[in-house]
Amino acid sequence: MADTTSEYFSAALTLTPAEAEHFDLAFTAVTQPCPWPKAYGGDLVAQAAAAAMRSVGDGKTLHSMHSYFMRPAEIGEKVRYEVELLRDGRGYATRQVRGYQNGRPLYVCLANFAAGEPGASYQGELPDWLSAAGLPGPETLPSSAAWLTDRTGGTMTEVSKAYWSSGRSFDMRHAPGPVYLTVEGERLPHQAVWVRPFDGLRTVDGLTDAQRDTAALAYVCDYTILEPVLRVLDLPWATEGLVTASLDHAMWFHRAPRPGTADGWLLYAQQAVAAEAGRGLAAGRFFTPDGAHLATVVQEGMIRAPRGGDR
């Protein structure tokens, strides 16, 4: 698969209908390549979102997902998603999705859909820390590939460097700088990441373009959501002995991206909430460049760091 394209994302969202074994509907999907021992958690979230969306008729859109990651997924292997049709009402619908690999459950989520209705609108402003600091535009910031050029250290290999640079379907540009090898400057509990697919998102069988764009937010959100916690703890990704894993994940979709929005830059503003007992919690919000608040993410992850004397 070619570098610097969004093909990995498209491949992740490619679902194959299967015979249901546990619930009402079933699909299979394949986790995508990455240089770690386990598959990327965003594969599971986006694939489950796609499976749930394919089970709901026209007129209702996904407005929230609540997920648990129970076991690591094997890379490049099929995951079987079983969808339970819990409720279909006039205004709302609810689905449970369970992911199985090698016969064992590894992921579960509840997804809720709404028909929508007339009502007042409100959205918060950009976070104070972001407004006060002033935000560099994405074109003024280095891409991951540019930042990693001629840099090395810790556990960063040429394979992992290539993955961070071009293997994730999305261009990601950090302010302040990324935490791949070091934490630059102050140990701040927040960061902003501009994200954009490397090229236009492709049509995905079984999904409308609007559903695909919703799944794109679910897919890309997991790559960097724990980074504010790593940043404040002074734990770059390449720290020897660092192990992280997604534990649970919640996401709310407030506004559907306008057609074409997901092909351009989106701002992902992230804040560390807590870190204790080997776990970290972070929250993030997606904004369009003109300030429309599209979605909110909260995720807890395992952060198994080397002890002080080991660093």
Side-chain angles (χ1 to χ4, degrees):
M1 195 173 290
D3 289 341
T4 60
T5 79
S6 62
E7 289 182 77
Y8 286 115
F9 166 69
S10 301
L13 279 198
T14 300
L15 304 186
T16 301
E19 192 71 26
E21 296 179 359
H22 302 283
F23 297 120
D24 299 298
L25 297 171
F27 303 90
T28 62
V30 177
T31 55
Q32 297 304 296
C34 67
W36 324 125
K38 59 185 180 296
Y40 168 53
D43 278 357
L44 306 183
V45 178
Q47 289 167 353
M53 286 189 287
R54 287 180 62 161
S55 76
V56 176
D58 294 340
K60 294 186 180 73
T61 58
L62 180 64
H63 75 84
S64 68
M65 290 182 69
H66 298 265
S67 307
Y68 280 91
F69 302 85
M70 297 177 289
R71 294 181 176 90
E74 298 296 327
I75 298 168
E77 300 291 338
K78 286 184 180 179
V79 178
R80 180 187 189 84
Y81 294 94
E82 295 266 351
V83 183
E84 184 178 14
L85 312 183
L86 290 177
R87 179 175 183 264
D88 278 301
R90 286 189 301 173
Y92 292 88
T94 305
R95 301 291 187 260
Q96 179 184 215
V97 184
R98 289 191 187 182
Y100 297 83
Q101 196 175 65
N102 301 320
R104 300 202 302 171
L106 53 79
Y107 170 88
V108 62
C109 84
L110 287 173
N112 217 48
F113 295 78
E117 55 190 83
S121 179
Y122 168 79
Q123 65 173 34
E125 302 294 331
L126 289 174
D128 289 343
W129 59 264
L130 191 54
S131 302
L135 177 66
E139 304 296 350
T140 70
L141 297 169
S143 66
S144 295
W147 195 90
L148 286 166
T149 299
D150 298 326
R151 285 185 166 102
T152 189
T155 61
M156 184 69 69
T157 66
E158 289 303 313
V159 173
S160 58
K161 183 185 290 190
Y163 178 74
W164 289 119
S165 298
S166 61
R168 301 181 292 174
S169 289
F170 287 78
D171 189 349
M172 303 179 206
R173 305 190 179 194
H174 290 67
V179 294
Y180 300 130
L181 299 172
T182 60
V183 174
E184 296 182 348
E186 298 179 70
R187 290 166 52 177
L188 301 171
H190 46 68
Q191 67 176 20
V193 183
W194 287 102
V195 298
R196 181 180 67 177
F198 284 124
D199 59 6
L201 296 179
R202 292 149 178 78
T203 298
V204 175
D205 288 345
L207 298 179
T208 67
D209 286 353
Q211 290 172 327
R212 176 206 60 201
D213 292 354
T214 296
L217 298 183
Y219 175 86
V220 76
C221 72
D222 190 27
Y223 277 121
T224 57
I225 188 60
L226 290 181
E227 288 185 349
V229 183
L230 298 181
R231 186 179 294 276
V232 77
L233 296 179
D234 194 24
L235 290 170
W237 285 114
T239 300
E240 294 280 357
L242 175 66
V243 180
T244 66
S246 301
L247 296 175
D248 60 88
H249 174 100
M251 192 165 188
W252 295 265
F253 302 90
H254 313 300
R255 294 168 179 83
R258 295 186 299 272
T261 297
D263 285 333
W265 289 110
L266 294 175
L267 173 64
Y268 193 12
Q270 305 165 344
Q271 177 88 37
V273 177
E276 189 70 28
R279 301 186 309 276
L281 184 73
R285 291 189 280 170
F286 282 99
F287 295 90
T288 63
D290 60 2
H293 181 193
L294 298 181
T296 299
V297 182
V298 178
Q299 181 161 304
E300 185 178 44
M302 181 191 77
I303 300 177
R304 186 171 292 158
R307 296 177 182 178
D310 297 333
R311 291 193 59 198

